[in-house]
Amino acid sequence: MKKSKNADDTTPDEESAGVEKPAKPQQSLRSFILELVAIVVIGLLVTTGLRAFVFQPFKVPSGSMQNTLQVNDKIVALRVIDFKRGDIVVFQDTNRWLGSPKEPGLVRGALEFVGILPNSSEGHLVKRVIGMPGDRVACCDDQGRMTINGHPLDESVYLFSDAAGTVRPADVPFEVVVPAGHMFVLGDHRNASGDSRCHLQDVSMQGGPAGSPAFIPIDSVVGTVTGVMSPISRIQQFKTPEVFGEVPPPTSPAPAEPEIVHVEPGC
Protein backbone atom coordinates (compact mmCIF):
# COMPACT_ATOMS: atom_id res chain seq x y z
CA MET A 1 0.00 0.00 0.00
CA LYS A 2 1.25 3.52 -0.87
CA LYS A 3 2.12 5.56 2.17
CA SER A 4 0.41 8.96 2.36
CA LYS A 5 2.59 12.03 2.77
CA ASN A 6 2.01 14.44 5.64
CA ALA A 7 1.55 18.13 4.86
CA ASP A 8 4.83 18.93 6.59
CA ASP A 9 6.83 16.30 4.70
CA THR A 10 8.97 17.32 1.73
CA THR A 11 10.81 15.16 -0.72
CA PRO A 12 14.45 15.73 -1.60
CA ASP A 13 13.33 17.05 -5.00
CA GLU A 14 11.00 19.57 -3.34
CA GLU A 15 13.74 20.72 -0.96
CA SER A 16 16.19 21.22 -3.80
CA ALA A 17 13.58 23.19 -5.73
CA GLY A 18 13.16 25.58 -2.81
CA VAL A 19 9.53 24.76 -2.07
CA GLU A 20 8.38 26.63 1.05
CA LYS A 21 5.46 25.99 3.26
CA PRO A 22 2.80 28.72 3.05
CA ALA A 23 2.98 31.16 5.97
CA LYS A 24 0.18 31.16 8.46
CA PRO A 25 -2.09 34.25 8.33
CA GLN A 26 -0.99 35.32 11.82
CA GLN A 27 2.67 35.19 10.79
CA SER A 28 2.01 37.23 7.63
CA LEU A 29 0.17 39.94 9.58
CA ARG A 30 2.89 40.12 12.22
CA SER A 31 5.59 40.37 9.55
CA PHE A 32 3.67 43.15 7.79
CA ILE A 33 3.26 45.12 11.03
CA LEU A 34 6.95 44.77 11.89
CA GLU A 35 7.98 45.94 8.43
CA LEU A 36 5.58 48.89 8.63
CA VAL A 37 6.91 49.91 12.05
CA ALA A 38 10.48 49.66 10.78
CA ILE A 39 9.66 51.87 7.78
CA VAL A 40 7.96 54.48 9.99
CA VAL A 41 10.83 54.50 12.51
CA ILE A 42 13.46 54.83 9.78
CA GLY A 43 11.42 57.61 8.14
CA LEU A 44 11.15 59.50 11.43
CA LEU A 45 14.88 59.11 12.09
CA VAL A 46 15.74 60.41 8.63
CA THR A 47 13.29 63.33 8.97
CA THR A 48 14.58 64.19 12.45
CA GLY A 49 18.17 64.05 11.21
CA LEU A 50 17.40 66.32 8.27
CA ARG A 51 15.58 68.73 10.57
CA ALA A 52 18.48 68.79 13.01
CA PHE A 53 21.23 69.31 10.46
CA VAL A 54 19.72 70.44 7.14
CA PHE A 55 16.38 72.25 7.42
CA GLN A 56 13.50 73.18 9.69
CA PRO A 57 9.98 74.10 8.51
CA PHE A 58 8.17 77.13 9.95
CA LYS A 59 4.83 78.87 9.57
CA VAL A 60 4.92 82.67 9.30
CA PRO A 61 2.95 84.02 12.28
CA SER A 62 2.67 87.73 11.49
CA GLY A 63 2.69 90.36 8.75
CA SER A 64 6.07 91.86 9.66
CA MET A 65 7.66 90.56 6.43
CA GLN A 66 4.86 91.46 4.01
CA ASN A 67 4.65 91.41 1.09
CA THR A 68 7.65 89.11 0.81
CA LEU A 69 6.08 86.69 3.30
CA GLN A 70 2.41 86.48 4.11
CA VAL A 71 0.76 85.29 7.31
CA ASN A 72 0.59 81.45 7.40
CA ASP A 73 3.11 80.99 4.59
CA LYS A 74 5.07 77.76 5.07
CA ILE A 75 8.80 78.37 4.80
CA VAL A 76 11.93 76.31 5.31
CA ALA A 77 15.02 77.52 7.16
CA LEU A 78 18.05 75.85 5.57
CA ARG A 79 20.85 75.28 8.05
CA VAL A 80 23.41 74.37 5.39
CA ILE A 81 23.41 77.78 3.68
CA ASP A 82 25.46 80.69 5.04
CA PHE A 83 23.70 84.02 5.21
CA LYS A 84 24.77 87.58 4.47
CA ARG A 85 23.35 91.08 4.30
CA GLY A 86 20.00 91.08 2.55
CA ASP A 87 19.08 87.47 3.31
CA ILE A 88 15.97 86.45 5.23
CA VAL A 89 16.71 84.36 8.30
CA VAL A 90 14.83 82.59 11.08
CA PHE A 91 16.40 83.04 14.51
CA GLN A 92 15.69 82.09 18.08
CA ASP A 93 14.30 84.86 20.26
CA THR A 94 17.29 84.90 22.61
CA ASN A 95 16.77 88.62 23.30
CA ARG A 96 13.14 88.02 24.36
CA TRP A 97 11.55 90.42 21.88
CA LEU A 98 8.42 88.26 22.13
CA GLY A 99 8.46 87.86 25.89
CA SER A 100 8.34 84.37 27.36
CA PRO A 101 7.58 81.78 24.65
CA LYS A 102 4.53 79.52 24.93
CA GLU A 103 5.25 75.83 24.71
CA PRO A 104 3.18 73.81 22.19
CA GLY A 105 1.11 70.87 23.38
CA LEU A 106 2.77 67.48 23.79
CA VAL A 107 1.43 66.00 20.55
CA ARG A 108 2.03 69.10 18.42
CA GLY A 109 5.47 69.56 19.96
CA ALA A 110 6.42 66.01 19.01
CA LEU A 111 5.12 66.42 15.45
CA GLU A 112 6.97 69.73 15.11
CA PHE A 113 10.16 68.14 16.41
CA VAL A 114 10.20 65.41 13.76
CA GLY A 115 9.19 67.88 11.05
CA ILE A 116 5.73 66.49 10.28
CA LEU A 117 4.23 69.84 11.28
CA PRO A 118 5.98 73.19 10.71
CA ASN A 119 7.27 74.94 13.79
CA SER A 120 4.55 77.21 15.17
CA SER A 121 7.22 79.91 15.49
CA GLU A 122 6.80 80.43 19.21
CA GLY A 123 10.20 81.65 20.35
CA HIS A 124 11.38 82.28 16.76
CA LEU A 125 11.33 85.31 14.48
CA VAL A 126 11.88 85.84 10.77
CA LYS A 127 13.51 89.06 9.52
CA ARG A 128 15.85 90.41 6.85
CA VAL A 129 19.52 90.89 7.73
CA ILE A 130 20.49 94.53 7.20
CA GLY A 131 23.75 94.88 9.13
CA MET A 132 26.55 92.41 9.88
CA PRO A 133 29.37 92.79 12.45
CA GLY A 134 31.15 96.13 12.09
CA ASP A 135 28.53 97.66 9.78
CA ARG A 136 27.44 101.22 10.42
CA VAL A 137 23.68 101.28 9.83
CA ALA A 138 21.86 104.61 9.73
CA CYS A 139 18.61 106.15 8.63
CA CYS A 140 17.92 108.22 6.90
CA ASP A 141 19.91 110.23 4.34
CA ASP A 142 18.65 113.37 2.58
CA GLN A 143 16.59 111.19 0.23
CA GLY A 144 15.06 109.12 3.02
CA ARG A 145 17.18 106.01 2.38
CA MET A 146 18.79 103.57 4.80
CA THR A 147 22.58 103.61 4.60
CA ILE A 148 25.11 100.88 5.38
CA ASN A 149 28.73 101.98 5.79
CA GLY A 150 27.73 105.25 4.16
CA HIS A 151 26.22 103.57 1.09
CA PRO A 152 22.54 104.40 0.39
CA LEU A 153 20.31 101.36 0.07
CA ASP A 154 17.47 101.18 -2.46
CA GLU A 155 14.99 98.94 -0.62
CA SER A 156 12.07 99.40 -3.02
CA VAL A 157 12.39 95.82 -4.29
CA TYR A 158 11.22 94.34 -0.98
CA LEU A 159 9.69 97.06 1.22
CA PHE A 160 5.95 96.68 1.80
CA SER A 161 3.77 98.59 -0.62
CA ASP A 162 0.04 98.86 -1.32
CA ALA A 163 -2.35 101.29 -2.94
CA ALA A 164 -1.20 103.98 -0.49
CA GLY A 165 2.43 103.62 -1.55
CA THR A 166 5.65 102.15 -0.16
CA VAL A 167 6.46 102.31 3.54
CA ARG A 168 9.43 104.42 4.61
CA PRO A 169 12.65 102.63 5.65
CA ALA A 170 12.24 104.15 9.12
CA ASP A 171 10.24 106.89 10.80
CA VAL A 172 12.70 107.55 13.63
CA PRO A 173 16.31 108.52 12.85
CA PHE A 174 19.11 106.33 14.21
CA GLU A 175 22.75 105.44 13.67
CA VAL A 176 24.45 102.36 15.10
CA VAL A 177 27.52 100.17 14.69
CA VAL A 178 26.83 96.42 14.86
CA PRO A 179 29.00 94.61 17.45
CA ALA A 180 31.07 91.50 16.85
CA GLY A 181 29.09 88.26 16.63
CA HIS A 182 25.78 90.06 16.06
CA MET A 183 23.49 91.33 13.30
CA PHE A 184 20.94 94.10 12.81
CA VAL A 185 17.61 92.91 11.37
CA LEU A 186 14.49 94.60 10.00
CA GLY A 187 11.11 93.47 8.74
CA ASP A 188 10.05 94.30 5.19
CA HIS A 189 6.81 95.82 6.51
CA ARG A 190 8.45 98.46 8.67
CA ASN A 191 5.12 99.77 9.98
CA ALA A 192 4.21 96.32 11.33
CA SER A 193 7.57 95.00 12.52
CA GLY A 194 9.00 95.14 16.03
CA ASP A 195 12.57 94.74 14.78
CA SER A 196 16.02 96.02 15.76
CA ARG A 197 14.93 99.67 15.40
CA CYS A 198 12.39 99.21 18.17
CA HIS A 199 14.88 97.92 20.75
CA LEU A 200 17.65 100.50 20.49
CA GLN A 201 16.75 101.89 23.91
CA ASP A 202 16.03 98.59 25.65
CA VAL A 203 18.00 97.62 28.73
CA SER A 204 19.57 94.19 28.49
CA MET A 205 18.72 91.70 31.25
CA GLN A 206 22.04 89.97 30.55
CA GLY A 207 24.06 93.13 31.10
CA GLY A 208 25.73 95.41 28.58
CA PRO A 209 24.91 98.92 27.43
CA ALA A 210 21.42 100.19 26.66
CA GLY A 211 20.35 99.11 23.20
CA SER A 212 22.11 95.74 23.33
CA PRO A 213 18.84 93.79 22.83
CA ALA A 214 18.50 95.36 19.37
CA PHE A 215 21.38 93.24 18.06
CA ILE A 216 20.77 89.54 17.43
CA PRO A 217 23.50 86.98 18.20
CA ILE A 218 24.55 85.31 14.97
CA ASP A 219 24.71 81.93 16.69
CA SER A 220 20.95 82.17 17.37
CA VAL A 221 20.18 81.89 13.64
CA VAL A 222 18.32 78.67 12.78
CA GLY A 223 18.76 78.98 9.03
CA THR A 224 18.35 80.97 5.84
CA VAL A 225 14.91 81.24 4.22
CA THR A 226 15.28 80.56 0.50
CA GLY A 227 11.61 80.51 -0.45
CA VAL A 228 7.96 79.71 0.29
CA MET A 229 6.94 76.06 -0.02
CA SER A 230 3.18 76.45 0.47
CA PRO A 231 0.40 77.27 -0.21
CA ILE A 232 0.79 76.35 -3.87
CA SER A 233 -0.20 79.83 -5.04
CA ARG A 234 2.65 81.31 -2.98
CA ILE A 235 5.50 78.95 -3.95
CA GLN A 236 8.56 81.01 -4.85
CA GLN A 237 12.32 81.17 -4.42
CA PHE A 238 14.28 84.02 -2.84
CA LYS A 239 17.68 85.41 -3.72
CA THR A 240 19.78 88.04 -1.99
CA PRO A 241 18.68 91.42 -3.41
CA GLU A 242 21.35 92.77 -5.75
CA VAL A 243 21.46 96.14 -3.96
CA PHE A 244 23.32 94.53 -1.06
CA GLY A 245 26.17 93.54 -3.36
CA GLU A 246 27.02 97.23 -3.70
CA VAL A 247 27.51 97.78 0.04
CA PRO A 248 31.18 98.34 0.95
CA PRO A 249 32.77 96.44 3.85
CA PRO A 250 33.15 98.12 7.26
CA THR A 251 36.05 100.53 7.58
CA SER A 252 36.89 99.35 11.11
CA PRO A 253 36.80 96.05 13.01
CA ALA A 254 33.53 95.26 14.75
CA PRO A 255 33.41 96.64 18.31
CA ALA A 256 32.96 94.32 21.27
CA GLU A 257 29.86 96.24 22.37
CA PRO A 258 27.22 97.91 20.20
CA GLU A 259 27.73 101.58 19.43
CA ILE A 260 24.53 103.61 19.57
CA VAL A 261 25.73 106.77 17.83
CA HIS A 262 22.29 108.36 17.65
CA VAL A 263 18.76 107.28 18.44
CA GLU A 264 15.52 109.08 19.16
CA PRO A 265 12.51 107.78 21.09
CA GLY A 266 10.05 105.70 19.13
CA CYS A 267 10.29 103.04 16.45
Side-chain angles (χ1 to χ4, degrees):
M1 173 184 274
K2 186 176 180 181
K3 183 179 180 182
S4 62
K5 185 170 65 173
N6 294 328
D8 293 336
D9 292 339
T10 59
T11 66
D13 289 340
E14 289 174 330
E15 290 178 351
S16 62
V19 176
E20 297 181 357
K21 296 182 294 182
K24 296 180 179 179
Q26 297 88 340
Q27 293 176 329
S28 298
L29 178 60
R30 183 172 60 183
S31 177
F32 171 77
I33 293 175
L34 290 175
E35 289 180 6
L36 180 62
V37 170
I39 291 172
V40 171
V41 170
I42 292 173
L44 289 176
L45 289 174
V46 170
T47 302
T48 303
L50 290 174
R51 180 187 178 280
F53 300 104
V54 181
F55 71 87
Q56 183 171 349
F58 287 90
K59 181 174 69 174
V60 177
S62 73
S64 69
M65 283 296 293
Q66 291 175 324
N67 286 319
T68 308
L69 299 176
Q70 298 291 350
V71 178
N72 294 326
D73 275 354
K74 306 300 189 304
I75 58 177
V76 171
L78 293 177
R79 301 176 184 272
V80 295
I81 297 180
D82 291 332
F83 67 91
K84 50 188 177 293
R85 292 189 210 99
D87 287 341
I88 301 171
V89 297
V90 173
F91 55 93
Q92 296 175 331
D93 184 27
T94 53
N95 289 0
R96 289 293 182 261
W97 288 2
L98 300 174
S100 299
K102 299 177 182 179
E103 295 296 330
L106 181 62
V107 175
R108 181 175 182 89
L111 294 177
E112 287 182 2
F113 178 76
V114 299
I116 295 175
L117 289 180
N119 192 291
S120 53
S121 298
E122 293 290 354
H124 293 82
L125 298 102
V126 55
K127 304 291 181 188
R128 190 180 297 276
V129 178
I130 300 297
M132 293 292 283
D135 283 342
R136 182 177 293 268
V137 183
C139 199
C140 296
D141 67 2
D142 294 340
Q143 298 184 40
R145 298 171 298 184
M146 187 85 61
T147 64
I148 305 177
N149 301 329
H151 181 82
L153 199 64
D154 180 4
E155 300 185 276
S156 59
V157 68
Y158 55 79
L159 282 181
F160 174 82
S161 63
D162 57 14
T166 302
V167 297
R168 292 189 293 271
D171 289 327
V172 178
F174 67 87
E175 182 176 352
V176 301
V177 179
V178 184
H182 292 73
M183 59 186 184
F184 190 88
V185 299
L186 298 175
D188 287 357
H189 192 342
R190 302 286 159 81
N191 294 348
S193 178
D195 46 42
S196 289
R197 300 165 302 147
C198 303
H199 299 276
L200 288 172
Q201 294 182 312
D202 289 2
V203 177
S204 173
M205 300 183 65
Q206 287 81 31
S212 295
F215 303 91
I216 303 300
I218 288 177
D219 59 11
S220 69
V221 173
V222 175
T224 307
V225 179
T226 59
V228 177
M229 64 179 183
S230 75
I232 294 177
S233 61
R234 292 276 304 146
I235 292 177
Q236 58 186 302
Q237 185 177 7
F238 300 138
K239 295 182 179 180
T240 307
E242 294 181 0
V243 293
F244 287 91
E246 304 169 358
V247 176
T251 56
S252 303
E257 299 286 352
E259 295 181 7
I260 312 296
V261 180
H262 174 74
V263 63
E264 297 180 11
C267 176

